[in-house]
Amino acid sequence: MPTLNNAFLSAFSLELSMLMHAGITVSDGLYMLQDDEPTREGKEVLANLIAALDKGVSLSRALRDSGYFPRYMVEMVAIGERTGRAVETLNALSAHYERQDRLANSIKNALLYPSILLIMMTAVVIILLVRVLPIFNEVFNRLGTQMSPLATNLMELGAWLRGASTGFAILGGLIIIVALLALLVPALRGSITIWANRTFGHRGVFGDMAMTRFISAMVLSLASGLDTQEAVEMAAVLSGGSRVIDANNQTCLELLRQGNTLADAMQQAGLLTARNGRMLSLGSRSGMTDTAMAEIASRSEKALQIEIDSLVGKIEPTLVIITSVIIGVILLSVMLPLMSIMTTLG
């Protein structure tokens, strides 16, 4: 079964909304999209939807029965159909999945370079410990002396690493197998994601990501015609997973039930900053809640991007400094005594 990424979902929603806005039926629109679809997987998805629509079912039912589309998207389309705002819902879905795609790409790009740097630096340190230090030890032995205690201890660490190489290889193989299974088995990937959300979902940048997903989902839910409380409930489904985040979402719902405004409820629950809360409050008073929430979503995404860039900017030099210090200590532990011996001999 094809895996639909955020980019495909965003493009599909936008193109279909444009066709529907032009007065073209959903079925005819899907035929047009299928003719222009460049990928075999995309054609398979569209053919499945067309076959279902030809049987007389609704778009949301066709999306759900296909099994390709996320449950949240299916529910939003169903709500848009019930409220007569299917076109607006699809437009909001396109913007929502475009934001999710930018966020996912930003995280991948942010992690790529530090990961490569860490692997390379670790490899250099291991080579020094396992291969280079024994060579220097032989040089010192030929000169009738010994390396410094620090260099000797480092060489023993290298010998231990060399002896444990089989165990490390097995561990690395297991990690690779688990990673491949997580990629190929959706159930396992889902379990790992749930565990990660519950463990780290409320901390630091992950908590800010959850808040950004909540606000983005609020934009989508409000555009679908839901009332405020229903919109919060739907957004909580998308952004939840962590116990702390779930508790904050529940607090927001309770405050709404007690008669608080959306801005006050979200701000008191820790889902909005004071500045964004003021903007939403002004938007609600002027009848522009949707517009205010969309602007808050844009600001939250930009702030999250800045936070990720700042975090990466700290990680890279930290890795370089740490590994440079380690490499420097290893080399100096053998080079300084060797230089002293050579000076004496000279």
Side-chain angles (χ1 to χ4, degrees):
M1 178 179 295
T3 300
L4 303 182
N5 54 36
N6 290 325
F8 180 91
L9 294 174
S10 176
F12 171 80
S13 300
L14 178 60
E15 291 167 353
L16 188 57
S17 69
M18 292 171 63
L19 293 171
M20 293 175 63
H21 181 73
I24 300 172
T25 64
V26 176
S27 181
D28 289 342
L30 290 177
Y31 273 113
M32 295 173 65
L33 294 179
Q34 186 184 34
D35 291 338
D36 296 330
E37 175 59 36
T39 65
R40 180 182 60 82
E41 293 81 3
K43 287 184 178 294
E44 179 182 338
V45 172
L46 295 172
N48 187 290
L49 294 178
I50 292 170
L53 289 171
D54 287 343
K55 297 178 181 178
V57 303
S58 64
L59 175 61
S60 59
R61 175 69 179 274
L63 295 174
R64 183 178 70 247
D65 292 346
S66 71
Y68 297 130
F69 294 85
R71 181 173 64 88
Y72 188 78
M73 179 177 181
V74 174
E75 292 178 353
M76 287 295 100
V77 172
I79 292 169
E81 289 174 337
R82 290 201 306 268
T83 58
R85 304 182 66 177
V87 174
E88 293 84 350
T89 300
L90 287 169
N91 271 321
L93 279 168
S94 175
H96 170 75
Y97 284 112
E98 183 182 3
R99 286 191 292 269
Q100 297 303 307
D101 184 57
R102 285 199 302 264
L103 178 59
N105 288 331
S106 175
I107 294 173
K108 290 177 183 177
N109 294 332
L111 293 177
L112 180 61
Y113 179 71
S115 300
I116 295 175
L117 182 63
L118 178 61
I119 292 172
M120 293 179 61
M121 292 296 187
T122 302
V124 170
V125 172
I126 291 176
I127 291 173
L128 287 174
L129 294 177
V130 175
R131 296 295 182 184
V132 177
L133 283 182
I135 295 175
F136 277 103
N137 186 51
E138 292 181 6
V139 173
F140 275 92
N141 288 336
R142 291 176 182 177
L143 294 174
T145 184
Q146 293 181 341
M147 293 192 302
S148 66
L150 175 58
T152 302
N153 291 333
L154 291 173
M155 187 179 66
E156 292 175 353
L157 174 60
W160 178 82
L161 290 173
R162 186 168 55 250
S165 59
T166 302
F168 284 118
I170 294 174
L171 178 61
L174 290 175
I175 293 174
I176 293 174
I177 291 173
V178 172
L180 290 175
L181 288 175
L183 290 174
L184 299 176
V185 182
L188 178 60
R189 183 169 64 249
S191 299
I192 294 175
T193 301
I194 291 173
W195 173 82
N197 283 337
R198 289 196 171 277
T199 306
F200 307 107
H202 63 284
R203 301 178 182 177
V205 68
F206 297 105
D208 293 336
M209 287 170 58
M211 184 176 69
T212 301
R213 285 198 303 269
F214 182 92
I215 296 172
S216 177
M218 281 294 298
V219 175
L220 173 57
S221 300
L222 292 173
S224 301
L226 294 176
D227 62 35
T228 301
Q229 186 170 318
E230 289 176 324
V232 172
E233 290 174 350
M234 292 298 297
V237 172
L238 184 64
S239 64
S242 165
R243 294 183 179 89
V244 175
I245 298 298
D246 289 341
N248 291 343
N249 294 340
Q250 189 60 38
T251 299
C252 182
L253 283 171
E254 291 297 329
L255 290 171
L256 285 174
R257 295 188 183 108
Q258 294 171 12
N260 290 275
T261 64
L262 177 60
D264 289 340
M266 292 183 67
Q267 190 171 340
Q268 292 180 42
L271 301 175
L272 283 182
T273 62
R275 176 171 295 182
N276 287 337
R278 182 179 63 183
M279 175 179 289
L280 181 58
S281 178
L282 293 174
S284 299
R285 294 174 186 174
S286 59
M288 301 177 64
T289 303
D290 294 3
T291 303
M293 192 64 75
E295 177 61 25
I296 292 171
S298 177
R299 289 187 178 186
S300 299
E301 182 185 358
K302 292 178 182 177
L304 181 59
Q305 180 64 58
I306 293 173
E307 184 178 2
I308 292 173
D309 292 341
S310 175
L311 182 61
V312 173
K314 295 176 182 177
I315 292 175
E316 292 178 7
T318 301
L319 288 176
V320 172
I321 291 172
I322 292 175
T323 52
S324 298
V325 169
I326 293 174
I327 293 172
V329 169
I330 294 173
L331 294 178
L332 289 175
S333 66
V334 294
M335 293 302 296
L336 291 179
L338 183 60
M339 291 175 62
S340 177
I341 293 172
M342 298 302 293
T343 301
T344 303
L345 292 176

